[in-house]
Amino acid sequence: KLRQRSSAKETEMDMDDDDVTPNLHQLQQFLLLLQNHQIGGRQIFDEDEDEDMDQADEIDQVCSERLKEFQEHVVVQQVRQDSGTTVKDPLPLCKSIQKWQTKGQLSRPQKCGLANRFLPTQPRPIDRSGSQVFCSKFSKDGTLLLNACQDKKITLYDTTNWKPVKKIHAKDVGWSIIDTDYSPDQRWLIYSSWSHYVHLCNIVGDHEIHEGMDLEPASSRFCLFSIKFSPDSNEILGGSSDRSIYIYNLDRREVALRMEAHRDDVNTVSYGEDSNNNMIISGSDDFLCKVWDRRVLGRERNVAVGAFMGHTEGVTHVSSKGDGRYFISNGKDHVIKLWDIRKMADPSTAENHPRHSSYDYRHGMFFPPREEQRHPHDGSLMTYRGHTVCQTLIRSYFSPMATTGQKFIYTGSYDGKLFIYDVVSGARVATLANHRATIRDATWHPYRNEIVTASWDGSTQLWEPGQRDRQCCCRKASCKCP
């Protein structure tokens, strides 16, 4: 029916050649969103051969309204501007190269527009471990790559030649190293495990420093599932297995704040802005994401500023865009959701919403019936589907601003693949497959068009643009672009 309707609309079009391309592009985006059931963070319809035309007309109207609402949202305009993407007049590759050769420079959005046409899809191995790789992360300037494995080893690589420059043997590790992070000045790193301690290690310096800092939890079985350095490097933020958020003060070497934040494990924490530590975002197995104001925590009642409902299973990871407005969350319901922080729900209302799940993602993969996939109070802007989340807390991130304009979202998957989604359209633009087991973590170089994937098959792989991606966009048969 959708094909018939689109064909009818195309035959009714009567316009100049210059106007055909943008309208067809918009139509293709619209049909793609319909196919993936992704407009407005909700599934829109179920395919049914017995639907009558009246119902189809109603569906068309609802889809058009939701698509228009999302396309007009400020995040869409922001992503298009930052990534050098415009619907009406995309700059052809040959013209971009010609402009660079004649004028000697391109604007940052134009550079991002060029880089986005050469996605890294060709793998080559960096290293192989005898155990599962849990964490992988580029440093802020991209000069170092950190890998953490289940064999209690943390390895730092020089990204100019991909050779190890430092190895750290982790202490007090239960099960595995669970999470790691760099300090903003890249002089220190921290790691956590199933332990009462978070450990601090130096990256630079002649003397080795390896210090364990006790969080003194009430529970004997304890884990910090997620840890982050504060932007000012004075505190460590953590989400734990005892439903709490911890803030550890590095100057005083003591726990500055412990608060019960959710009704279940706090799997992930992050800062909402790159420049300050005022806004904290958390995600939990209680299906909720919450936002906290650091300035009032510990002084008044420790109550969240707002909550976000939309996931039908636990949240495994949250990642901020860094602007204090948008963040994404990955969930055990096998979806990523995009959120606008300014559209939060009342925390008390969200906590009173009942949960109906007995699914334990550690012991198998479960896809709920389609009618149960839609949250009745879903407040997300967009939903991204295709990957699977099972057995471990799989992470998801925005692509870097410098090279892509944060045009993409990427995530690992239980099936050993890396999925890259377009933020605006929700389409899956690339699927990278060269691992034999779960990809728990991945990291995109902040200034080079390279991605590193860390898998439970023990391998760490580097993905670079390949020859099959080097295609000209000028659409001319006579083009002689390199």
Side-chain angles (χ1 to χ4, degrees), residues 87-370:
V87 174
K88 292 185 179 180
D89 187 20
L91 190 63
L93 178 60
C94 56
K95 289 185 178 180
S96 299
I97 296 175
Q98 187 179 21
K99 182 177 180 180
W100 173 74
Q101 290 175 337
T102 56
K103 295 187 177 181
Q105 62 181 4
L106 291 172
S107 66
R108 186 180 59 80
Q110 288 173 336
K111 292 178 182 178
C112 292
L114 282 174
N116 291 339
R117 297 171 185 174
F118 300 89
L119 289 178
T121 58
Q122 293 296 310
R124 67 181 178 95
I126 294 178
D127 201 356
R128 176 169 288 277
S129 171
S131 62
Q132 298 172 342
V133 186
F134 269 65
C135 306
S136 187
K137 181 176 292 188
F138 281 113
S139 59
K140 188 176 181 179
D141 62 4
T143 59
L144 294 174
L145 172 71
L146 180 153
N147 260 18
C149 303
Q150 196 175 24
D151 60 2
K152 306 179 182 180
K153 294 179 182 178
I154 299 174
T155 306
L156 292 170
Y157 299 87
D158 183 345
T159 58
T160 59
N161 53 22
W162 301 107
K163 293 183 179 180
V165 294
K166 186 170 186 176
K167 292 188 177 183
I168 299 172
H169 292 271
K171 300 178 181 179
D172 197 25
V173 175
W175 169 243
S176 175
I177 299 170
I178 302 298
D179 199 14
T180 59
D181 195 28
Y182 297 97
S183 64
D185 58 7
Q186 299 181 188
R187 298 177 57 86
W188 305 90
L189 67 85
I190 52 175
Y191 67 88
S192 66
S193 179
W194 279 94
S195 165
H196 290 193
Y197 293 84
V198 57
H199 289 263
L200 177 72
C201 304
N202 65 314
I203 297 176
V204 297
D206 297 332
H207 303 283
E208 292 296 323
I209 299 175
H210 198 144
E211 179 183 354
M213 297 170 288
D214 193 357
L215 298 179
E216 302 178 355
S219 174
S220 58
R221 180 169 172 78
F222 176 82
C223 178
L224 282 177
F225 293 122
S226 178
I227 52 176
K228 289 288 184 294
F229 264 106
S230 64
D232 59 9
S233 299
N234 293 330
E235 296 177 336
I236 295 175
L237 174 68
S240 70
S241 58
D242 62 358
R243 309 178 180 183
S244 301
I245 290 177
Y246 285 78
I247 297 178
Y248 189 90
N249 188 291
L250 288 171
D251 293 332
R252 300 195 303 266
R253 288 297 195 270
E254 65 180 14
V255 177
L257 177 69
R258 176 198 175 275
M259 62 177 181
E260 187 168 332
H262 289 266
R263 294 181 294 169
D264 213 325
D265 293 350
V266 181
N267 295 325
T268 173
V269 289
S270 181
Y271 287 98
E273 297 179 88
D274 294 335
S275 57
N276 63 73
N277 59 346
N278 293 335
M279 184 187 300
I280 295 173
I281 305 171
S282 62
S284 168
D285 275 339
D286 63 4
F287 306 178
L288 297 178
C289 298
K290 291 184 179 181
V291 174
W292 310 81
D293 189 343
R294 175 67 182 93
R295 292 166 293 187
V296 300
L297 295 179
R299 300 177 184 177
E300 303 175 5
R301 291 193 310 129
N302 295 328
V303 179
V305 177
F308 300 87
M309 296 180 288
H311 283 286
T312 57
E313 296 291 343
V315 179
T316 63
H317 192 253
V318 294
S319 180
S320 170
K321 201 170 185 291
D323 57 2
R325 294 183 179 181
Y326 306 102
F327 73 95
I328 56 174
S329 60
N330 201 10
K332 299 176 184 178
D333 50 2
H334 317 293
V335 300
I336 296 173
K337 288 186 175 291
L338 173 66
W339 307 92
D340 187 339
I341 293 178
R342 296 165 295 183
K343 296 184 178 180
M344 61 185 74
D346 183 78
S348 59
T349 303
E351 290 177 353
N352 291 332
H353 188 75
R355 295 184 295 165
H356 304 285
S357 176
S358 59
Y359 163 52
D360 189 344
Y361 86 129
R362 296 172 299 175
H363 305 299
M365 187 162 51
F366 171 68
F367 289 92
R370 177 168 289 181

Side-chain angles (χ1 to χ4, degrees), residues 474-480:
C474 66
R475 303 183 182 90
K476 292 182 180 180
S478 61
C479 179
K480 298 182 180 179

